[in-house]
Amino acid sequence: MVLKVLNVAGARPNFMKIAPIMREMQKRASFFKPILVHTGQHYDFGLNEVFFAQLGIRKPDHFLGVGSASHAVQTANIMTGFEKVLLEEKPDLVLVVGDVNSTLACALVSAKEHYPVAHVEAGLRSGDWRMPEEVNRVLTDRISKFLFTTSQDASENLKNEGIAEGIYFTGNTMIDSLKTFEKQAGKTGSEKKLGLEKGGYALVTMHRAENVDDGKTLAKVAEIVLTAASFSQVVFPVHPRTRERLEKSGLKQKLESKGVKLVEPLGYLEFLNLEAKAKFVLTDSGGVQEETTVLGVPCFTARRNTERPITVSEGTNTIVDLDSVLLKRELEKLYSGEGKKGKIPEKWDGKAAQRICDALEKGF
Ligand code: UDP
């Protein structure tokens, strides 16, 4: 049989997860017929096109072009656009990745039309329902037939929610991309282009709604970035959502006046290289917590919790929330040579897409 799969991607963190799956399915052409749907949730060059080029993802078969809007409008537009594609393509399976609005919207449309759904990166839970991503994760898992997890704790979360079937611990597809492109990333010289030296700078990213949407919280974000800057040169590729708010609040100037290098979002290869060579990373990103664990680079997560606890229990991640005093204490430890040493979690080995395809071949 040939299994026709609609693979869905929509936003920056989806592209590195879908790329190895597309590649593996294309390799196994006697079993899989992958169709790529890009919802266009992220549409500008810096968050979208550059990733297709660098990750070698082929041109999408369907582009929905939804763009940014409120959660309701964006989710509704994705659902309306995706329903047409689904009914036209009539696939055997719909595969969604991660926790963005496209993930839930396409899963929901598929479930209602009785198409089976596979969720890659299932079972991650922060327990924080204020996060739009948490809502997307829990609801997508509930209506998925195949649940591919990145860690045993995620599989346990699903079992604790009463899901008894379809859970496969297959590993981390984001790390598949890291392994594939690590060497190439090293050759970009992105640190030198920014006037930085290996080990001589900190890398910062911040874009979670709960950190950047509210003015008071954003001021705390700026404060913790300045704490990092008191230890090291800081480079901060700024997500468009964050840039707009930093500019409006005047905090952009404040950060720049203290020497923080604010730059546009970087391409995957350029960013990966900066991550690998950083002295430490301060972030609220999900994916960056995982990548730093594999790269062995200390990561401080500016959130109250993480849906990726394995990066803390086994990796190089430390949760600091927006607590500048705590970050300062942790950085003093790091700079006195007592920083955390992590290990690489099970199945974060570059072979997750293979395991996912193996499971699907067996499951159908
Ligand atoms: N990333 C990138 N350029 C940047 C910032 C991040 O290529 O300027 C990559 C990063 O290496 C990781 C992914 O984007 O692979 C993480 O995406 P993001 O932080 O947007 O989303 P999250 O993981 O928090 O959902």
Side-chain angles (χ1 to χ4, degrees):
M1 78 176 275
V2 172
L3 193 76
K4 186 172 180 181
V5 187
L6 277 192
N7 288 319
V8 177
R12 177 168 74 185
N14 291 166
F15 304 135
M16 15 334 242
K17 294 168 197 168
I18 211 74
I21 294 171
M22 282 296 294
R23 217 173 22 250
E24 190 62 28
M25 287 185 175
Q26 281 162 356
K27 243 193 239 167
R28 304 185 189 200
S30 58
F31 190 84
F32 292 101
K33 181 167 192 265
I35 310 278
L36 183 60
V37 183
H38 184 347
T39 65
Q41 193 182 322
H42 281 162
Y43 49 92
D44 56 7
F45 182 83
L47 294 186
N48 167 36
E49 262 177 63
V50 65
F51 294 100
F52 274 73
Q54 293 191 342
L55 292 158
I57 311 173
R58 72 165 200 233
K59 202 169 161 290
D61 300 282
H62 300 273
F63 182 68
L64 306 183
V66 297
S68 23
S70 69
H71 280 284
V73 171
Q74 186 178 65
T75 307
N77 286 343
I78 299 168
M79 289 178 73
T80 315
F82 185 72
E83 189 178 51
K84 284 196 197 97
V85 173
L86 185 72
L87 299 179
E88 180 193 319
E89 291 284 2
K90 300 187 178 19
D92 300 300
L93 177 74
V94 174
L95 183 143
V96 297
V97 298
D99 55 17
V100 299
N101 286 344
S102 302
T103 313
L104 175 61
C106 297
L108 195 51
V109 171
S110 307
K112 292 220 170 155
E113 290 292 335
H114 311 294
Y115 287 88
V117 176
H119 184 205
V120 173
E121 207 184 79
L124 295 183
R125 299 288 182 263
S126 68
D128 182 352
W129 284 90
R130 292 174 320 146
M131 294 178 73
E133 294 88 351
E134 184 75 354
V135 178
N136 293 341
R137 290 178 196 120
V138 175
L139 299 185
T140 301
D141 286 342
R142 191 64 191 82
I143 53 180
S144 293
K145 184 171 153 66
F146 293 90
L147 297 137
F148 296 117
T149 66
T150 51
S151 53
Q152 294 283 18
D153 60 88
S155 301
E156 288 307 314
N157 289 340
L158 294 168
K159 287 177 200 157
N160 291 339
E161 287 172 16
I163 299 176
E165 279 177 29
I167 305 169
Y168 303 83
F169 169 35
T170 41
N172 194 326
T173 56
M174 189 168 237
I175 302 308
D176 289 7
S177 280
L178 184 151
K179 296 272 178 200
T180 307
F181 293 104
E182 203 176 1
K183 270 211 190 105
Q184 224 174 304
K187 291 182 193 151
T188 59
S190 55
E191 85 286 10
K192 294 205 186 78
K193 287 178 194 155
L194 288 165
L196 305 167
E197 267 176 35
K198 187 175 179 205
Y201 63 92
L203 176 65
V204 170
T205 79
M206 296 282 172
H207 70 282
R208 290 260 93 76
E210 63 272 22
N211 273 349
V212 305
D213 282 2
D214 167 69
K216 268 197 199 141
T217 315
L218 189 65
K220 288 187 84 177
V221 168
E223 195 188 313
I224 202 164
V225 173
L226 290 179
T227 303
S230 67
F231 283 79
S232 164
Q233 162 80 66
V234 167
V235 58
F236 182 174
V238 190
H239 195 280
R241 161 189 213 116
T242 313
R243 179 170 290 275
E244 196 190 319
R245 289 161 172 86
L246 283 178
E247 277 169 4
K248 276 196 189 137
S249 60
L251 289 168
K252 177 175 176 273
Q253 275 160 312
K254 186 172 175 188
L255 290 174
E256 281 176 336
S257 72
K258 306 271 176 171
V260 174
K261 238 183 220 297
L262 299 175
V263 298
E264 289 298 310
L266 295 167
Y268 178 63
L269 298 177
E270 289 78 9
F271 186 83
L272 196 57
N273 177 54
L274 278 195
E275 250 182 299
K277 293 179 181 158
K279 173 78 179 172
F280 67 91
V281 173
L282 173 66
T283 192
D284 62 6
S285 159
V288 171
Q289 295 172 55
E290 298 181 338
E291 290 170 342
T292 44
T293 271
V294 171
L295 294 167
V297 172
C299 177
F300 300 96
T301 295
R303 285 177 39 194
R304 289 185 201 168
N305 48 45
T306 178
E307 62 289 332
R308 295 163 160 88
I310 201 162
T311 60
V312 176
S313 60
E314 295 191 10
T316 57
N317 192 15
T318 306
I319 303 290
V320 293
D321 195 2
L322 294 178
D323 186 339
S324 292
V325 176
L326 181 53
L327 178 65
K328 183 166 179 281
R329 207 182 308 141
E330 289 296 331
L331 288 177
E332 280 163 357
K333 269 202 250 166
L334 175 67
Y335 277 84
S336 62
E338 293 160 41
K340 193 169 175 180
K341 306 260 180 305
K343 64 171 188 178
I344 296 179
E346 190 186 352
K347 297 190 188 172
W348 291 23
D349 57 358
K351 294 181 182 152
Q354 289 174 33
R355 293 190 196 97
I356 287 169
C357 288
D358 288 346
L360 288 174
E361 284 197 18
K362 274 194 203 121
F364 273 89

